Amino acid sequence: MAFNWNDAPGSSPAVRRRATLRKLLGSLIVGLLSVSVAWAGTGLVPVNDVTGAAGSSSGQDGNWLAAAGSDGGGSQAAAAAGTDQPLSTNQVYAGAAKVNIAPNPEKYSGTWEKDQGHCETFAAPHETEPAHATDFRVRFNENTNCIYAGGFDIGPANAITKFDEEYGMWARATAVSDGDDTVVLMILDGAYYFAKYANMCNTVDTHKSDFDGDGPGANKYTQDCGFRDLGISMAEKYGYKQAVPGQVPAQVPGQVSGPVSDQAGLEKGSPAEPGQFGIEPSSFFLASSHAHASPDFIGAWGGVPRWYMQQVEDAIRKAVYDAVDSMRPSYIEAGEILFRGGNNHRRGHYRAAEEAGETWMRFVSETPAPPICTTPSPTPTPTPSPTKTKGPKRPGSTPTPTPPPSPTPICTPQPNTKGVVATIGTYAAHPTNSAGGTGYADLAGVFAKRAEERFGGIGLFFQTGFGNISSAYSRAQLGKDLVSLLPDVGAGAQVTAGDGTIDVRTVQRTFDNPATNAALGPGGAAGVFDRPMEHRPSAVSIGKDSLGPDASRLPHKRCNSASPLTVNTSVSAARIGPVNGGLLITGGPGELFSNYTNTIKESNITGITFPLSLVNDGIGYIMQSFETDHVGRQGVGFVNGPLSEYEDAYSIDACLGDHALEQTFEALGSL
C-alpha cells in the first residue's frame, strides 16, 4: 500500500482552514489590543551559562511560582479530561503517566525463555528449535520466545534474560493542551520503533490486549502496532475521524474514481474531524530512547515475542491515555543550558560541531502533587500452633489463628508543594551500553528516575542531535549530571504570553524518500528490518531555494536521488506558547545529526527549541548531504575502518537529511 500524503494522515484543507481561521482571529484580537508577547521576568533564558537557567524571575525570592495563580483568573473555558477547572493566566492543561514494560508473559499467555544458551542462536545455530524455524516474523533463526537487545552485531546474538531493577523500563508520556489542540510526547525504552510494521505486530487474540474490542482506539490484532497506526488509533479513541474523500459514483459513465470536485450530482466526501481537545494524528510525538540494552522492536537483532509486542503496544496506549486523562491546569517553565563537557563528536573522517545544549521544560500544577503510596506485602498468616489452648476443645482439633491485619499503605509526600506533572529533558549523547543479558534503559532511564526523585511527577528524556555524538564519560553519571543542572521548581523562566493565553499547535508532514543504501534497501525489502519499503520508484531533488528566481543559486547545489524502492516517513512540529519566546518541538524519523538539530535551533532565536530524534519512526542515521559518506552507505561502513564512516552504513539515502530538514521547515512555517 502506498502512502503519498503531503500533510498529516487524514487531514484535509477544510479542517486546516477552520483551525487557521480560529487562530488568526485570536491573533487579530491580540494585535488590536496591542498586547506584546514576552517572557516573565528575565526574558529569554540564558544559554551561555549553566547557572543562568536558574536566574532571577518574577515572584518571591526569584521564584515565579510563589506568586503564580494569585490573579485567580480563568482565561479559557475548562476542556481537559477529569477536570472542570478553567485555565488561569499563562496556564495549559498538562498530564503525565508511565507504564512498566517489564515482561509479563503470564498475563499475555506467553513464554519468556531466559536461558541465553537457547536464545543466542546466531552463535549457536544448533540451538534453534524446529517449532521456531517456521516463525517468519523475524528473518533469523531466532528463538521465538526470547527477548533480544538491539544495536550490537547483527541477528539474535544478545538475549535479555532479566530487566534492570534500579531504573526499570517504561513507556512514559506527557500531554499538554490549550483545550483546542494537544501535544502528546511519549518515550519508549527501546532501541528503535517503526512507523509501520510488516510482520512483528501481534495478530492473534491468544495474547489478549488490554484494549480488546471493536470501538475507536481498540486493538485490531493486525499489523497496526507501528507509531503511525497507533497515532491514528489513539486519536480515534478521543473522537478523531479521518477524512473520507468523495468518490465518483461507479454508474457515472466516462468518469474515473477519485476525489471529486463541487460538480452537481457527485457525492462529496467528509473532511477530517479533530477529536476531544483537538487531538489528531499530528498531536503525537511517539519516540524510542535508542538504548542499545533495551529490547529490539525492529527484528534486526532477533526481535521480541509476539506476546511481548502486544504488551508494549498496550503500554504505549495506556501511558498516553492516562497522560491525557489526567490533564490539569499547569504552568510551564523551560530553558536551555550550555553543557559542552558532557559529549563530543564521533565521526572518524571529519570534525563535527556537537549539539552542546541541554534543553528542558517542566509542567507544574497549581494543585499539590499527590503523595506516592506503596502498600507493603501482607504478613503471612501464622501456622497454627500445636500447643494447648485454654478452654474445652474437640479432641484432635487445632486452634484457628487470628489473621494478621491488612497492611497500611505507606505514603511519602512528593518533593514540592506545588505538583510537578512532568520534567522533560533533551541532550545529545549516544546510549551505547550493551545488554550483557540485562535489559537496561541507559541514559534515558537514569535521567527520568533522578528527575522524578528530585522534582516529583514523571521524568522523560528524549534524544536530540545524537547521531554523530557520543557521551564524554559514563552515561549513568551523565544522566545524573543533566538532572543536577536543572533549576529548582519555579527558579527557571516561565513561559508566558502577552494576553495570558498559551496557544498550542501541531502539524505533521509525510513524504516519500528513495532508499539507495545498497545494504539497507534490499535488507528492508527482504524483511531483515521489519519496516516495510514500498516497491515503487521515487525521486527527490532538494535544496534551499537553489532553483529559485535568483540566477546565482545554481541547480548543482541541490541533492538529487532516485530509487525503485521507496520509504514513506514523516516529520512533526508543534508550538506551545507565543511565536516569539514560546516553545518549538520538532520530530525527525531517525538518529538526527547535530548539524541538523542545531540548524533548527538557530532558526528560533527568540524561543526554546526541542529538535527530537526517532519520533514516529526509526529509519537509521539522518545527516545532511554535505556530511554523507557515499562509500560507507554502500555497505563498507559496516567495517568501520579507514575507508568509510560507520553511521552511513545505516543511512538509507544521501538526500534524506536535506529532505527531512526542508520538510521540517515547511511544517514550522505552517504553525
Side-chain angles (χ1 to χ4, degrees), residues 624-635:
Q624 293 176 263
S625 57
F626 64 84
E627 299 178 278
T628 195
D629 174 42
H630 296 285
V631 174
R633 202 172 51 259
Q634 304 314 316

Side-chain angles (χ1 to χ4, degrees), residues 470-637:
S470 288
S471 59
Y473 53 91
S474 159
R475 284 162 299 282
Q477 186 59 49
L478 176 60
K480 298 173 185 176
D481 290 347
L482 291 173
V483 172
S484 69
L485 292 175
L486 300 181
D488 291 334
V489 179
Q494 182 191 4
V495 178
T496 65
D499 67 345
T501 301
I502 303 295
D503 190 24
V504 175
R505 302 187 185 193
T506 67
V507 65
Q508 184 183 61
R509 292 179 65 87
T510 54
F511 59 95
D512 284 346
N513 202 91
T516 58
N517 185 301
L520 295 190
V528 174
F529 307 95
D530 201 47
R531 175 64 161 85
M533 294 188 181
E534 298 166 32
H535 293 266
R536 57 181 176 83
S538 63
V540 62
S541 179
I542 197 74
K544 182 186 176 184
D545 298 328
S546 59
L547 288 182
D550 187 343
S552 66
R553 294 169 176 162
L554 299 177
H556 73 269
K557 292 294 185 182
R558 295 178 74 82
C559 186
N560 301 288
S561 181
S563 173
L565 279 176
T566 293
V567 172
N568 183 268
T569 190
S570 66
V571 296
S572 297
R575 191 177 77 217
I576 301 173
V579 174
N580 297 308
L583 308 180
L584 281 184
I585 307 171
T586 67
E591 299 177 61
L592 305 180
F593 266 35
S594 57
N595 193 75
Y596 180 119
T597 54
N598 277 325
T599 300
I600 296 173
K601 282 188 172 183
E602 289 168 3
S603 71
N604 183 38
I605 60 174
T606 61
I608 304 298
T609 310
F610 298 81
L612 308 182
S613 289
L614 292 166
V615 171
N616 294 331
D617 210 347
I619 52 173
Y621 289 91
I622 300 180
M623 71 279 294
Q624 293 176 263
S625 57
F626 64 84
E627 299 178 278
T628 195
D629 174 42
H630 296 285
V631 174
R633 202 172 51 259
Q634 304 314 316
V636 182

